[in-house]
């Protein structure tokens, strides 16, 4: 059977025959429109929309969705218009196709802006109709499945976008099967070497595992049977991406990750879930602190299950998930289960309501945020997996992204509460507004009628919702009010440099205002309130004009670190930060802003929370190179250093300095290299790893 015939026969199992006929029409129409177009793989273009429709057919989506899937690239890539689709296939299909079509490229200055604006359009369409994103996800899945045909750079950038945006959206909507496949493919093409190594390693390990898995499976099944439960038990193979992620996140070795065994128990109803949990606790001792009850408190994407880690035979940690059949379906297909299991009951409504709430909050952020790059930033924050569950004084549960603060909580309740919050009690104890919330915290917000949002909140809020409300407020306050606020912020910054705000002369002011290209002191103060200028940077220029001038004369690359124009910027000689590292800036009296990696051990905790510490980000398209230190341990052999140097030269990195220590067998070499960024460094290190004389290679800090 051809792909097209497969689609029609698969969908005829659940669609009416007139709907299947419409699919046939759409297929023929699409084939005509795309005729003469080919994919990078050499196949006729229509094979792609066809595959996308089949993915959605497997989720039993309705006829308009499948029709739109068959036509999804027609408006973008052929001369067919939206109006024509509407005429032939109806308005709903045309709207869906339009939702997944990109905007005209000509409208944008930069690639980043175009990408951000396209996302904005797509998400707007998705908030109106969730089927838009289902088509887009199926589209992306098929593109990822066929990524092999693309150039490596293209593969990497598409893969990265998949990991950053599409996979998290799939996750947020509970489409676990699609999510896992996107992660796996995204990982494979972003880190091809690591992927290959892990594939090989897991293959090798699987044989040994099989026996252990079988034994545990038997024991669990017997125990549940003994408890009178009708349960399906299965061993879970770990996905490569999740192995990789655990290794990186928890600093575990490959075997440590692989030594955790996962099992899933599916039972018929909720009471049985808890009975099963009890039975398994009697079989293997639970490890304290690992139990999570996502049945009582579902995840934001509707996921429900009991999770726990038990101590199995030979001290093997066993992760178990216990859930009902219904929960299992939702866990696999999330919002799509709405179409898959039309007649199944209550939980789906709950899930749908949650999804709608999320889409609604996205819409709100969208309408408050005019800048699409800013919106994309909000979206990434909102999508970041890992939520905390906290309680209102009335016992209502709120789900917030990890890292959320009291202010985020206040805005999550209501924008008025957020705008007027002054303090909070967490679990009955007074807590500052910037406190980060933990699972299970009970949070009570104290408001004052005349309180107003403070721009400094922008420095620590974690949700897009809070951020956009604060920005919105700051934009709408009266000009003179924002000037006053700016004055206070500047005074604080000056005091942290031990400079009396009164001591700044009119001439100093005039010069700085002119440097910024503004007309008045007031304008500059107002800009600070709006977050357009950093108070610390302005304060620095006012208080130490000569230093700032010196740096301007040298012409230090103004875009290396965002928002530091005209400020002396140095890179710390302890941690050697390079683009790609997460960084913080510390103000030093005579050195200006010193950039460290965020985890640099020389900046201690108290410094981090002080006012002179800035969260900074790298600029875009940085042209210069940076010093970085690496350590290589190699076997003592003739010509090793020369080979290492050649390998470094191959990736166009320079060696600034090298120090060596040898004993009888090994030489430890410490290099200072010049690299462009983390990726460049990784290339250099990968090259060295390939040399058989090199035993160990690492980046060193401090
Ligand atoms: Mn497509």
């Amino acid at each position: 059977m051809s792909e097209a015939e497969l689609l029609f026969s698969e969908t005829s199992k659940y669609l009416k025959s007139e709907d299947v006929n419409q699919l046939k029409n759409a297929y023929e129409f699409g084939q005509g429109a795309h005729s003469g177009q080919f994919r990078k793989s050499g196949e006729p273009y229509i094979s792609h929309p066809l595959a996308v429709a089949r993915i959605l057919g497997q989720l039993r989506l309705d006829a308009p969705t499948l029709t739109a899937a068959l036509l999804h690239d027609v408006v973008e890539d052929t001369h067919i218009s939206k109006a024509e689709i509407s005429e032939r296939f109806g308005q709903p299909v045309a709207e869906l196709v339009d939702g997944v079509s990109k905007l005209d490229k000509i409208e944008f200055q930069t690639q980043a802006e175009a990408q951000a604006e396209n996302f904005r359009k797509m998400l707007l369409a998705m908030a109106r109709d969730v089927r838009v994103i289902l088509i887009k996800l199926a589209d992306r899945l098929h593109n990822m499945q066929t990524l092999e045909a693309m150039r490596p750079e293209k593969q990497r950038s598409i893969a990265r976008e998949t990991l950053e945006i599409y996979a998290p959206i799939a996750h947020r909507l509970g489409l676990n099967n699609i999510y896992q496949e996107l992660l796996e493919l995204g990982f494979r093409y972003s880190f091809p070497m690591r992927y290959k190594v892990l594939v090989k390693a897991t293959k090798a390990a699987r044989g040994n595992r099989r026996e252990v898995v079988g034994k545990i499976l038997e024991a669990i099944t017997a125990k549940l049977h003994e408890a009178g439960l009708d349960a399906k038990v299965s061993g879970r193979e770990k996905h490569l991406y999740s192995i990789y992620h655990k290794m990186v996140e928890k600093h575990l070795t490959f075997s440590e990750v692989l030594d955790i065994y996962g099992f899933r128990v599916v039972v018929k109803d909720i009471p049985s879930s808890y009975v099963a949990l009890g039975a398994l606790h009697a079989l293997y001792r639970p490890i304290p602190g690992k139990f999570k009850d996502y049945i009582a408190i579902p995840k934001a994407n509707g996921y429900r299950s009991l999770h726990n880690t038990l101590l199995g035979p030979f001290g093997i940690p066993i992760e178990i998930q216990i859930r009902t059949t219904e929960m299992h379906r939702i866990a696999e297909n999330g919002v799509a289960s709405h179409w898959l299991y039309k007649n199944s009951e209550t939980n789906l409504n709950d899930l749908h309501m949650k999804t709608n709430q999320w889409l609604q909050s996205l819409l709100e952020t969208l309408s408050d945020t005019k800048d699409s790059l800013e919106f994309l930033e909000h979206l990434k924050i909102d999508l970041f997996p890992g939520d905390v569950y906290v309680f209102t004084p009335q016992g209502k549960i709120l789900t917030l992204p990890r890292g959320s603060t009291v202010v985020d909580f206040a805005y999550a309740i209501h924008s008025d509460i957020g705008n007027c919050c002054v303090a909070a009690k967490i679990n009955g104890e007074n807590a500052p507004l910037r406190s980060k919330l933990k699972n299970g915290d009970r949070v009570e917000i104290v408001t004052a009628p005349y309180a107003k949002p403070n721009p400094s909140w922008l420095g620590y809020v974690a949700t897009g919702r809070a951020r956009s409300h604060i920005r919105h407020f700051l934009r709408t306050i009266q000009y003179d009010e924002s000037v006053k606020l700016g004055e206070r912020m500047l005074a604080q910054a000056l005091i942290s440099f031990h400079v009396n705000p009164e001591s700044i002369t009119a001439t100093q002011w005039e010069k700085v205002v002119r440097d910024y290209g503004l007309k008045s002191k007031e304008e500059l103060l107002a800009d600070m309130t709006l977050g357009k200028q950093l108070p610390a940077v302005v304060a620095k220029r006012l208080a130490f004009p000569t230093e700032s001038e010196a740096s301007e004369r040298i012409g230090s690359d103004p875009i290396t670190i965002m928002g530091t124009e005209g400020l002396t910027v140095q890179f710390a000689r302890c941690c050697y930060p390079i683009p790609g590292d997460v960084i913080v800036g510390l103000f030093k009296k005579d050195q200006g802003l010193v950039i460290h990696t965020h985890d640099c051990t020389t900046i201690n905790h108290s410094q981090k929370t002080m006012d002179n510490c800035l969260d900074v980000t790298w600029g875009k398209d940085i042209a210069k190179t940076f010093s970085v230190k690496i350590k290589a341990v190699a076997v003592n052999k003739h010509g090793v250093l020369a080979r290492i140097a050649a390998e470094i030269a191959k990736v166009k990195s320079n060696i600034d300095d090298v120090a060596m220590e040898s004993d009888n067998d090994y030489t430890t070499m410490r290099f200072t290299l010049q690299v462009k960024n983390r990726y460049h460094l990784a290339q250099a290190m990968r090259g060295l790893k390939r040399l058989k004389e090199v035993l160990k290679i690492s980046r060193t800090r401090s």
Side-chain angles (χ1 to χ4, degrees), residues 581-640:
D581 290 337
V582 179
I583 44 173
V584 294
L586 278 184
F587 274 108
K588 280 265 172 66
K589 179 108 186 3
D590 304 312
Q591 300 170 9
L593 190 65
V594 184
I595 307 295
H596 293 262
T597 61
H598 81 294
D599 52 356
C600 177
T601 46
T602 63
I603 36 171
N604 55 40
H605 191 70
S606 64
Q607 269 175 315
K608 267 193 198 168
T609 53
M610 265 160 53
D611 287 341
N612 61 353
C613 180
L614 269 185
D615 275 329
V616 285
T617 45
W618 296 98
K620 293 195 181 71
D621 310 321
I622 302 165
K624 61 191 236 176
T625 59
F626 297 81
S627 298
V628 70
K629 294 213 168 214
I630 61 167
K631 183 174 104 176
V633 180
V635 198
N636 280 341
K637 248 193 195 159
H638 184 68
V640 169

Side-chain angles (χ1 to χ4, degrees), residues 8 24 134 137 139 181 187 226 355 361 372 386 394 403 488 516 520 548 559 627 647:
F8 305 139
K24 287 180 183 162
L134 297 177
L137 287 171
D139 176 38
E181 198 174 342
F187 172 48
E226 193 187 302
T355 307
S361 79
S372 26
Q394 290 78 35
R488 279 211 299 279
Y516 275 103
S520 66
S548 322
I559 50 159
S627 298
E647 209 51 57

Side-chain angles (χ1 to χ4, degrees), residues 45 48 72-73 139 143:
Y45 196 85
H48 165 64
H72 80 269
D73 280 329
D139 176 38
N143 284 334

